[in-house]
Amino acid sequence: MPDPRLSVSLPYWQDRDPMDALLVAEAADKLGYDRLWLGEMATFDAFALATAVGQAPGRIPLCIGPLAVDIRTPATIAIGVASVAALTGRAVSIALGTSSTVVVKDWHGRERRRTAVHLEESARIVRQLLDGEKGDFDGEIERIRGYRLRLPAPGGPELIVAAFGDRALAAAARTADRVVLNLVTPAQVARCDTRIREFAAEAGRATPNVSVWVTAAGDPTPDMLHTLRRGVVGYLRAPGYDAMFAEAGFGEVVRLAHSGAHPREVLAAVPDELPATVGMFGDSGTLANRLTAYRDAGADEVVIVPVSTAEDPAAHHTLETLARIEHG
């Protein structure tokens, strides 16, 4: 395993001001975190936010995504990465994913089909373009011919694929430099790491490194715990995540979510212990133990998704606590 990294992903909590993201980015840079991830949900365009962050004082490398391949074409993804790199002068990597049916079909009106195939084909095209090659690919879902980046190709960015089930993990093992997992227990990280190694060996490739997004709160308050519970409600019905939470002992809540109950009813049934199974919450000793558990399970990069509050919009307490744990 390469030297372990401790990074930060900007949080987009529904009950917080979206501008908190800029404060978290500034704090992560000043505290010496290894990388800043910028995902995309319902607020900022990821490339616009990455440019704003990258033009501010600081030097932290950026990772954009995971971005849904069902929403953006491989060419627009590569153009976005090259744009951020050219405008900011920062090291920029890209993560690809498939998002959810709600985001793809309901929000964007796009079709979500054969997600593992789509993920792999998009990754292959993005790789060509970011390596400065002329795009040439004719797949089952994605195709490109004749386009080459007009901006300088970002030299050597990591191509990262978000995956969970076996088909997506196999696609990632065949194409990615790194696989990122989200909302998983340390035991699930270990199982996914084993499968990634098996799939990479079958493909004759070096095993991709593994990152894991982990929601974190140092000395959580009741408001923080409410935010955390609310954040997992949408995952309780998602394929794969539902089985994981059921395996962790929360089958009754999963069944309630699948019953069609209103999200408020599901939220009321989510105990504090449920998000804790896929996060790190507590005092510094608890955080240190959870960080070790994820690394021992196979993650060489733990990406903190910190809980921000009205009293601490930059999540300083959590980020400072984990920085002390990491750097002493």
Side-chain angles (χ1 to χ4, degrees):
M1 180 186 293
D3 290 339
R5 294 178 176 179
L6 186 62
S7 302
V8 173
S9 174
L10 298 184
Y12 305 116
W13 301 110
Q14 296 179 42
D15 55 357
R16 292 299 309 129
D17 183 344
M19 299 303 289
D20 280 6
L22 297 176
L23 301 177
V24 174
E26 180 182 6
D29 200 322
K30 288 181 176 179
L31 289 167
Y33 281 86
D34 292 302
R35 177 155 59 173
L36 183 71
W37 289 60
L38 305 95
E40 186 173 83
M41 272 298 292
T43 54
F44 293 107
D45 172 88
F47 295 123
L49 181 59
T51 301
V53 169
Q55 289 183 332
R59 300 171 57 185
I60 191 169
L62 307 176
C63 180
I64 301 171
L67 300 180
V69 298
D70 309 273
I71 296 170
R72 283 188 172 91
T73 68
T76 60
I77 291 171
I79 290 169
V81 176
S83 298
V84 175
L87 292 168
T88 67
R90 302 276 187 110
V92 183
S93 293
I94 184 68
L96 308 179
T98 57
S99 195
S100 67
T101 299
V102 169
V103 171
V104 174
K105 289 190 173 182
D106 296 347
W107 292 9
H108 291 274
R110 301 300 181 193
E111 186 176 0
R112 187 174 186 267
R113 63 188 179 92
R114 303 191 65 189
T115 54
V117 172
H118 198 176
L119 194 58
E120 182 166 354
E121 291 183 354
S122 296
R124 293 190 182 282
I125 295 172
V126 170
R127 170 82 73 185
Q128 287 182 355
L129 297 175
L130 294 184
D131 284 347
E133 300 174 11
K134 184 178 289 186
D136 185 10
F137 188 89
D138 190 5
E140 298 177 43
I141 298 175
E142 288 291 351
R143 57 193 56 84
I144 189 172
R145 180 151 293 114
Y147 176 71
R148 190 195 305 270
L149 285 174
R150 297 289 298 276
L151 288 168
E158 272 195 320
L159 177 61
I160 304 165
V161 172
F164 188 67
D166 268 4
R167 290 181 180 179
L169 290 171
R174 290 190 292 263
T175 59
D177 301 310
R178 177 177 295 275
V179 182
V180 60
L181 309 170
N182 180 37
L183 276 182
V184 286
T185 65
Q188 191 71 50
V189 172
R191 287 197 289 269
C192 289
D193 183 57
T194 297
R195 297 299 282 155
I196 292 165
R197 292 178 183 278
E198 293 169 351
F199 291 133
E202 290 173 7
R205 295 187 75 233
T207 302
N209 297 321
V210 175
S211 298
V212 57
W213 279 20
V214 184
T215 307
D219 303 302
T221 64
D223 284 347
M224 285 180 170
L225 294 173
H226 177 80
T227 295
L228 291 164
R229 292 196 305 272
R230 184 177 180 181
V232 300
V233 167
Y235 288 91
L236 294 171
R237 294 175 55 188
Y241 292 106
D242 54 357
M244 181 190 64
F245 284 121
E247 178 187 333
F250 302 101
E252 187 174 339
V253 182
V254 170
R255 287 189 290 273
L256 178 64
H258 276 289
S259 73
H262 193 280
R264 283 194 301 269
E265 184 180 351
V266 178
L267 174 59
V270 175
D272 292 342
E273 292 78 13
L274 189 150
T277 64
V278 292
M280 50 175 70
F281 317 122
D283 60 18
S284 60
T286 302
L287 297 184
N289 290 338
R290 290 293 283 178
L291 181 60
T292 299
Y294 278 107
R295 285 174 167 166
D296 287 349
D300 78 284
E301 182 182 30
V302 175
V303 185
I304 301 303
V305 186
V307 181
S308 59
T309 65
E311 294 75 24
D312 185 11
H316 275 114
H317 179 66
T318 296
L319 294 179
E320 288 171 351
T321 301
L322 283 160
R324 283 196 302 271
I325 292 169
E326 183 74 351
H327 304 300

